[in-house]
Amino acid sequence: MATKPNQENNGTQLQNHYAIQTPGFNSSLSYDGDALLKVSCVNLNGQPIKFQLLQDGTSLILAKYKDLLVNDGFNLAQLPAGIFTLRLVQGDQCIERNIQKKTQAIIFE
């Protein structure tokens, strides 16, 4: 069955929310469009899962998970407005989704 861009086989997608099901893991990615990015994964086969946040091919965040269950959050407030790529990699599986940050960076001095 063919999928539409940013849509899984079962058609699950909400604005900035992606439910990803693969043979190796199930994952949920959600982003509030401003600062909070949440990553949840259930590791089905025990292989490490790598999460990356990229912009223009540059990795801004890298996390590697080996646990069975993962719930992690990232604060993107200090990143500029723009399009970012979320990447999940396990073995030879690579899943990418794009998100858009609409707010400008908050700089703390």
Side-chain angles (χ1 to χ4, degrees), residues 18-101:
Y18 302 97
I20 299 169
Q21 297 178 345
T22 74
F25 64 89
N26 293 336
S27 182
S28 173
L29 305 169
S30 60
Y31 176 58
D32 69 1
D34 182 32
L36 184 59
L37 172 64
K38 293 182 184 179
V39 177
S40 299
C41 293
V42 177
N43 192 335
L44 301 173
N45 66 14
Q47 289 184 17
I49 300 169
K50 182 170 70 171
F51 168 79
Q52 286 181 282
L53 177 74
L54 304 110
Q55 186 177 41
D56 297 328
T58 301
S59 183
L60 304 173
I61 296 174
L62 174 64
K64 196 170 193 177
Y65 304 112
K66 296 179 182 179
D67 297 332
L68 176 65
L69 299 173
V70 172
N71 285 303
D72 209 350
F74 301 94
N75 185 342
L76 307 185
Q78 293 182 326
L79 297 177
I83 302 295
F84 296 85
T85 301
L86 306 173
R87 179 184 291 164
L88 289 168
V89 178
Q90 185 183 54
D92 61 356
Q93 294 183 91
C94 180
I95 309 246
E96 293 184 345
R97 299 292 179 262
N98 290 328
I99 60 169
Q100 180 177 8
K101 184 172 187 289

Side-chain angles (χ1 to χ4, degrees), residues 11-24:
T12 303
Q13 180 202 0
L14 299 174
Q15 181 74 21
N16 288 320
H17 178 83
Y18 302 97
I20 299 169
Q21 297 178 345
T22 74

